[in-house]
Amino acid sequence: MNKEEKARLWSERIREFRSSGQTCRDWCREHQIPVSTMTYWIRRLKKELPICVSENDQEPVFAKLPSASEIVMRDTVDGTAAVRILISGYIRIEAAPSCPPELFQVLIRTLKENA
């Protein structure tokens, strides 16, 4: 197998992994591929062929981010932050009793997906 064929093969594997929704470890275990090999090819193809390992084939989506004052007004109830995340040597998450359940669910889901 020549270099181009290997690059195509690994590019396709990376696309399959990313579209699977699985963690790298789980996908690699299922396909009997060492995680170190997968990460090697992700790095290598990202340098050589960035288009082959793109996260998705969609156009970028732009969103308006709220200003600092909008965040303060929206995320506080009675002048107290609904959720505070402190990171200093460890992670600490504080949720006020007034924290909307939806906000807490989104926070936990996001942390779980990106941990």
Side-chain angles (χ1 to χ4, degrees):
M1 185 178 292
N2 67 31
K3 287 183 180 183
E4 287 180 17
E5 292 170 332
K6 277 188 178 182
R8 275 195 295 271
L9 171 70
W10 278 99
S11 178
E12 183 58 34
R13 286 180 176 169
I14 292 166
R15 273 194 214 102
E16 288 174 16
F17 152 61
R18 290 198 168 140
S19 66
S20 74
Q22 295 177 298
T23 64
C24 186
R25 180 177 289 148
D26 290 343
W27 192 91
C28 288
R29 188 177 319 149
E30 184 177 308
H31 293 85
Q32 300 175 346
I33 296 171
V35 174
S36 59
T37 304
M38 175 64 89
T39 56
Y40 164 81
W41 278 100
I42 289 172
R43 283 191 316 272
R44 180 173 171 185
L45 292 177
K46 190 173 189 176
K47 288 179 186 174
E48 293 178 14
L49 307 166
I51 192 123
C52 293
V53 294
S54 64
E55 290 289 332
N56 57 41
D57 295 326
Q58 301 174 0
E59 291 294 317
V61 176
F62 296 94
K64 179 189 177 294
L65 296 176
S67 68
S69 61
E70 289 173 322
I71 291 171
V72 170
M73 293 299 291
R74 184 190 65 209
D75 293 344
T76 60
V77 179
D78 300 328
T80 309
V83 175
R84 287 181 22 183
I85 300 175
L86 308 165
I87 302 174
S88 62
Y90 62 95
I91 298 173
R92 187 169 100 195
I93 301 172
E94 298 175 354
S98 58
C99 177
E102 300 82 18
L103 175 61
F104 200 68
Q105 289 171 344
V106 168
L107 174 65
I108 296 302
R109 184 174 56 240
T110 302
L111 289 171
K112 184 178 178 183
E113 290 171 357
N114 295 292

